[in-house]
Amino acid sequence: MTEKTPHQKSDSTGHGRPDAEAREQLGYFAGRVMAMESLLIEKGIIQGSDVQRMADEIDSQSPTDGARVVARAWVDPDFKARLLTDPMTAIRDLGYELASNMPRLEVVENTEQVNHLIVCTLCSCYPRALLGRPPQWYKSLAYRARAVVDPRGVMKEFGTEVSEEVELRVLDSTADIRFLVLPQRPKGTEEMREDDLVKLVTRDSMIGVTPARSPASSAVL
Ligand code: FE
């Protein structure tokens, strides 16, 4: 007995495929997703509750998780060293559950000399376990195409001027590997507590398009 999603209706064959009218109302992509979901359920590969559980899990993730990891690395040199060499273990040690089958994660450090910029040229691969859903612009064709050929120009559009002296490294995410940028700790934060540092770490700084917030531009102080 298969489970039905709320959008499904049983047809005369007893199958729970969404009807054409429902698919049309949703638009092309949502309709296609619904059709695939229905088939997977029908064939017994997944249950309806699996989809909802995964959706809930994704919705529960946010850039704050990544920000906590970054802030810890800023205050704890040993953790930072482990984060850069064995990120999955270091992050699990902080109490985060990372699925054993998730794509390999690499953490790359931005410095005075090097700025990493993350993109997925093919689609929208992204370290969702630490940042949640990617922003719309990350998935756009414009970003995916231009980040590779004109990273400096793209960063400028985000308000980030990168000196010609700084090497820009563009990292292309795939289904097998995801990247998280460890942004530089902003100047003037030497006395700040870890909890307050977390608030300076933005989603975009962990993608590499902007630096972390400076305390002066933040509402923290
Ligand atoms: Fe992708």
Side-chain angles (χ1 to χ4, degrees), residues 18 22-24 26-36:
R23 285 206 302 267
E24 201 165 303
L26 285 166
Y28 175 75
F29 286 106
R32 195 162 93 161
V33 167
M34 189 191 284
M36 287 167 61

Side-chain angles (χ1 to χ4, degrees), residues 119-126 138 144 172-175 178:
V119 66
C120 173
T121 55
L122 190 63
C123 46
S124 58
C125 298
Y126 188 72
Y138 183 85
R144 285 157 43 207
D172 194 4
S173 314
T174 69
R178 309 290 159 91

Side-chain angles (χ1 to χ4, degrees), residues 19 28 55 65 82 96 159 200 217:
D19 61 26
Y28 175 75
D65 294 333
R82 283 190 289 127
Y96 289 101
L200 303 181
S217 69

Side-chain angles (χ1 to χ4, degrees), residues 138-159:
Y138 183 85
K139 298 187 276 187
S140 71
L141 184 58
Y143 177 75
R144 285 157 43 207
R146 290 192 51 228
V148 180
V149 292
D150 182 22
R152 225 169 278 272
V154 167
M155 291 185 69
K156 201 168 178 180
E157 286 170 25
F158 279 88

Side-chain angles (χ1 to χ4, degrees), residues 125-197:
C125 298
Y126 188 72
R128 289 167 190 253
L130 291 167
L131 300 187
R133 291 180 194 270
Q136 283 300 325
W137 58 258
Y138 183 85
K139 298 187 276 187
S140 71
L141 184 58
Y143 177 75
R144 285 157 43 207
R146 290 192 51 228
V148 180
V149 292
D150 182 22
R152 225 169 278 272
V154 167
M155 291 185 69
K156 201 168 178 180
E157 286 170 25
F158 279 88
T160 312
E161 294 272 1
V162 186
S163 145
E164 291 293 332
E165 327 275 273
V166 176
E167 179 190 349
L168 274 185
R169 286 186 198 157
V170 181
L171 298 173
D172 194 4
S173 314
T174 69
D176 298 323
I177 184 163
R178 309 290 159 91
F179 300 97
L180 181 82
V181 171
L182 174 58
Q184 290 188 73
R185 180 171 175 166
K187 293 188 171 64
T189 59
E190 294 74 15
E191 304 299 321
M192 286 178 71
R193 294 183 309 126
E194 187 177 341
D195 283 353
D196 289 331
L197 289 170

Side-chain angles (χ1 to χ4, degrees), residues 3 5 7-9 15-20 22-24 26-46 51:
E3 293 183 41
T5 67
H7 307 294
Q8 290 176 298
K9 289 181 183 174
H15 291 160
R17 293 184 187 170
D19 61 26
R23 285 206 302 267
E24 201 165 303
L26 285 166
Y28 175 75
F29 286 106
R32 195 162 93 161
V33 167
M34 189 191 284
M36 287 167 61
E37 180 187 335
S38 300
L39 278 171
L40 290 168
I41 293 169
E42 200 173 297
K43 290 177 184 298
I45 296 168
I46 61 169
V51 176

